[in-house]
Amino acid sequence: MAKHEEKKNLANFAGEQKIIPVQIEDELKTSYLNYAMSVIVGRALPDVRDGLKPVHRRILYAMKELGLEYPRTYKKSARIVGEVLGKYHPHGDSAVYEALVRMVQDFSLRYPLVDGQGNFGSVDGDSAAAMRYTEARLASISSSLLSDIDRDTVDFAPNFDETLEEPKLLPATLPNLICNGSGGIAVGMATNIPPHNLNEVSEAILHLIDNPGVTVKELCKFVKGPDFPTGASIIGTAGIKSAYETGRGSIVIRAKTSIEEVKGGREQIVVTEIPYQVNKASLIESIADLVQAKKVEGIADIRDESDRTGMRVVIILKRDAAAQVILNQLFKHTQLQQSFGIIMLAIADGRPKTLTLKEILEYYIRHRKEVIIRRSRFELEKARDRAHILEGLLVAVANIDKIIKTIREAKNPAEAKASLMERFDLSDRQSQAILELQLQKLTQLERYKIDEEYKEILSRIKELEEILKSEKKVLEIIKAELKALVEKFGDKRRTEIQRDESSLEMEIEDLVADEDMVVTISQEGYVKRSPLASYRKQRRGGVGVTNATHEEDFIEHLFVASTHDHVLLFTNKGKVYAIRVHELPQANRTAKGKFIKNFVNLNQGEKISSIVPIRKFEPNKYLVMMTSLGVTKRCELGDFDAIRKTGIVAINLHKDDELISVRLTGGNSNVFAATKLGKAIHFPETDVRSMGRAAAGVRGMSLEKNDEIVGMEAVDKNDYLLTVTEHGFAKRSRADEYRLQSRGGKGITNLKITEKNGKAIGMRAVSDRDDLMVMSTGGMIVRVGVKDLRATGRVAQGVKVINLKGGDKVATMTCVEAEDAPEGAAPQSPAAE
């Protein structure tokens, strides 16, 4: 019973207080939608007609009301902010000042709307001085936004406390939305409209007025693309086209740079323009961080030489750095190149709408038509009113004596007005104007002026009536006013548009310098690459320089290749893997490197036996392979252009056999193979037919017991063959010293094996332009010119090229392109020391 009474009392109380019960879900939904629309319409998004958000519109209008029109004197920014806050914008002062500051910055707006005096920030991200220090006035171009606002061209609405009225939008002769752009984040939506060039936009508007059915594609002939205040370059036009046709798109902006040569054989990258909204100081800092982290190498110093004449950031490169490669790396890793997402969203017809280029221009034309029509109506009303007054004055002038008599006979002004209205058929306003007529107006000259003014007013009335009757005349006025605006404020395009998008599709080679590297793989499987200049040339018999000695590991493979090359890694198990040279870890000569299995998935017991650097997978190229048991195989190079990360089979091996050597040929070379016990065979490559990857090959050489192949080359008759033995001897002989045989033979003598020189460990084809690099099991390397080794007969034992200590033996050898450095030259990098 008590509960029933309590509910009854609550119901009565709710009825008295007019409380309406609602579901909390419904209330939250309604309240949030109201809030969202308030933010969208009242704060975050610009109006398509004048291109302004409420805060910007209120600032400009308040400045006009303060009399801060160009070229009048400046006033403190604090005064302007206070005026805006107190009359129109009841929000934080910092928000208003920040909006004012942005309208001053020539790096934020393509056509700044406010003329500032003092520190209004910089492209380096410096904030503006406090509002009490800076001064401002309207920029000259702002007159095109505010002109005719006092002629009933736009609607006004009460301000926040309903004590004043403010414009809902501005007349805007300037197509501000598209020329200055806009950015903002609302609830569930955002806008990001880039700025454009006034000349191009005006040409598009004029063309659209004359050709209403024009397509967006045709308008793009006039509006080439965004034109940012900071210049720079737009790469490609696909994003521009998408944005103009759909309202959304993404463009790539790239800094304007040049490569300059400076003293000492160095180069430097000079940045003169950066992408829109990029902080220059942060950009420089990010480049420095990349250098510090060694993600970009080759930069020696960065200087900011910008001054009042323009931007100039100088990136000084190291002596041997590849400028274009470093520039490509900076484009990839810094804001020297960045994307700009275009979202052309604005308030149109009272709601947010994503607009195409044509729609934005159409809304501008529609707005200007309404402004001109309302202005014409306002002026027509004023003109008719003035004509009415002038008609009365003309009556008075024509009957001046009677007018004076009538006035003199009246007892008071009210009676005089009534008498004039009755006697001369005048209106109340005409009679009042006659009573206020000064005596000087009765002179002949003044009477003439009244008559002329009346004629002019009649002419103006006729003109305004014709304007209001003819849409064509309205459009002609729009065109004329727009042309006048362009003549006064139009300028050249700042942002270059590069239609070729190929530079965006950077291959990895674009980010890596094309330089020769010495790549080494140790017996335990550690790989690294070092600049070729790290190894200076010595005379034969030198003691060499240290290379990666640690514990009992030693260099097993060494070759020279460009960082842009593909490397085919053939294993002893007959498989082949592929990697790029630049993917291998770069280290100095004494570093250990990284384990090869970090880069290729070698199986258990599998090790690298032969390496073939490939620049391109060209047609009519072949790979010739030979195993330790003398089996030979030939395949087309194209069969290896798509190698999985897990590798593919290169040759099917017999039991106990291993792949020893693989060489690239042009299809008409001769095959030369040398054995450990000093034998060699020389036969035409064409003796081995081309076969598929899964084939096992054919016999290339018949071996004696305990003998095995130590090297195989593809040669012609003019090549020299260099054989190195385990005790550090080398012998150079011409290929034509070895007669051609048929494949499968036992071969002929290649080297006289003795206890002094030891067994053969390797053989290479060489020329006088080559250097021989020999590595010992102890990690010593010596580099000598091949031309320093005199040519001998095929059965000679050779000459010593490296002095070995203790039980050290030669582990491997290779040949590289000769250097021109003199004997004993200082190393060219710290790695050579």
Side-chain angles (χ1 to χ4, degrees), residues 28 92 101 129 371 498 526 560 569 586 593 603 667 681 687 689-690:
L28 287 173
V101 165
V371 166
Q498 299 180 13
Y526 288 93
V560 175
L569 302 172
Q586 181 168 342
N603 296 319
I681 191 169
D687 279 6
R689 64 177 176 83
S690 177

Side-chain angles (χ1 to χ4, degrees), residues 44-53 102 108-110 175-185 190-196 201 225-229 243-244 247-249 251 276-277 340-347 353-357 360:
L45 299 183
D47 193 293
V48 68
R49 294 168 290 181
D50 63 3
L52 296 171
K53 300 178 186 178
R102 189 173 185 276
S108 293
L109 293 190
R110 183 64 177 81
N176 185 57
L177 180 66
I178 194 73
C179 286
N180 269 327
S182 185
I185 300 174
T191 185
N192 200 27
I193 304 172
H196 291 76
V201 171
D227 188 24
F228 297 104
Y244 290 168
R248 290 177 177 268
I251 59 175
Y276 184 50
Q277 296 177 333
F340 184 95
I342 299 174
I343 307 173
M344 298 206 291
L345 180 73
I347 301 298
K353 184 179 180 181
T354 301
L355 305 163
T356 66
L357 173 65
I360 290 177

Side-chain angles (χ1 to χ4, degrees), residues 486-530:
V486 170
E487 186 176 346
K488 187 174 182 181
F489 299 108
D491 57 4
K492 293 181 179 179
R493 164 173 281 278
R494 298 180 189 176
T495 301
E496 179 185 349
I497 298 177
Q498 299 180 13
R499 298 190 175 276
D500 183 11
E501 299 185 37
S502 59
S503 60
L504 288 178
E505 300 172 359
M506 286 189 189
E507 299 291 339
I508 192 66
E509 289 84 355
D510 297 322
L511 306 174
V512 178
D514 189 358
E515 57 181 327
D516 287 338
M517 291 283 173
V518 175
V519 180
T520 59
I521 301 178
S522 73
Q523 190 272 339
E524 290 186 357
Y526 288 93
V527 62
K528 67 178 180 181
R529 61 184 171 97
S530 305

Side-chain angles (χ1 to χ4, degrees), residues 6-233:
E6 184 178 353
K7 287 182 179 179
K8 184 177 180 181
N9 292 335
L10 285 173
N12 292 334
F13 177 78
E16 292 174 2
Q17 298 296 316
K18 296 182 180 180
I19 296 175
I20 302 172
V22 295
Q23 292 292 328
I24 190 169
E25 294 88 349
D26 296 337
E27 180 63 24
L28 287 173
K29 181 179 179 181
T30 303
S31 298
Y32 188 76
L33 283 175
N34 291 339
Y35 162 73
M37 287 306 299
S38 174
V39 171
I40 290 168
V41 177
R43 298 180 70 175
L45 299 183
D47 193 293
V48 68
R49 294 168 290 181
D50 63 3
L52 296 171
K53 300 178 186 178
V55 64
H56 302 110
R57 189 179 300 118
R58 288 165 176 167
I59 290 171
L60 296 177
Y61 182 67
M63 291 180 74
K64 176 180 173 61
E65 292 292 287
L66 282 172
L68 296 182
E69 295 171 288
Y70 185 90
R72 295 181 182 177
T73 57
Y74 299 88
K75 283 191 178 178
K76 287 288 185 182
S77 298
R79 170 75 184 280
I80 300 168
V81 171
E83 185 81 1
V84 175
L85 291 179
K87 290 185 175 180
Y88 308 116
H89 198 70
H91 298 282
D93 60 342
S94 60
V96 175
Y97 185 51
E98 287 171 7
L100 173 66
V101 165
R102 189 173 185 276
M103 287 194 288
V104 175
Q105 295 171 339
D106 59 1
F107 53 87
S108 293
L109 293 190
R110 183 64 177 81
Y111 301 95
L113 302 177
V114 177
D115 181 15
Q117 186 168 263
N119 174 19
F120 280 90
S122 72
V123 74
D124 286 320
D126 301 320
S127 57
M131 67 180 79
R132 62 183 179 273
Y133 297 119
T134 60
E135 298 177 337
R137 66 183 178 190
L138 289 172
S140 179
I141 199 170
S142 292
S143 62
S144 66
L145 288 173
L146 292 157
S147 62
D148 301 324
I149 196 170
D150 52 356
R151 297 188 181 186
D152 193 34
T153 51
V154 293
D155 291 333
F156 279 69
N159 69 340
F160 61 91
D161 60 1
E162 298 187 355
T163 58
L164 298 168
E165 287 197 329
E166 60 175 313
K168 290 184 177 180
L169 70 157
L170 301 184
T173 307
L174 173 72
N176 185 57
L177 180 66
I178 194 73
C179 286
N180 269 327
S182 185
I185 300 174
V187 180
M189 61 187 68
T191 185
N192 200 27
I193 304 172
H196 291 76
N197 185 270
L198 175 59
N199 289 8
E200 295 180 0
V201 171
S202 65
E203 287 179 5
I205 292 171
L206 296 175
H207 186 73
L208 180 58
I209 290 172
D210 294 334
N211 304 276
V214 70
T215 63
V216 173
K217 185 177 181 181
E218 291 173 10
L219 290 176
C220 289
K221 295 177 182 177
F222 303 97
V223 183
K224 310 298 183 186
D227 188 24
F228 297 104
T230 53
S233 300

Side-chain angles (χ1 to χ4, degrees), residues 104 188 243 254 289 315 323 328 330 364 381 398 435 466 469 506 601 643 726 764-765 787 796 802 816:
V104 175
R254 178 177 288 179
D289 289 343
I315 303 169
N328 289 341
L330 294 178
Y364 166 81
E381 184 179 342
L435 290 175
E466 289 177 351
K469 291 177 182 176
M506 286 189 189
N601 297 324
I643 299 177
E726 60 185 349
R764 295 287 186 276
K787 63 183 179 182
I802 184 171
V816 299

Side-chain angles (χ1 to χ4, degrees), residues 309-357:
T309 62
M311 184 182 296
R312 181 178 169 86
V313 177
V314 180
I315 303 169
I316 302 171
L317 306 182
K318 294 179 180 178
R319 192 178 307 278
D320 298 324
Q324 189 58 54
V325 170
I326 292 176
L327 184 56
N328 289 341
Q329 291 173 338
L330 294 178
F331 285 148
K332 182 176 178 65
H333 298 297
T334 73
Q335 287 184 306
L336 279 180
Q337 176 178 299
Q338 71 168 17
S339 296
F340 184 95
I342 299 174
I343 307 173
M344 298 206 291
L345 180 73
I347 301 298
D349 298 325
R351 62 186 181 87
K353 184 179 180 181
T354 301
L355 305 163
T356 66
L357 173 65

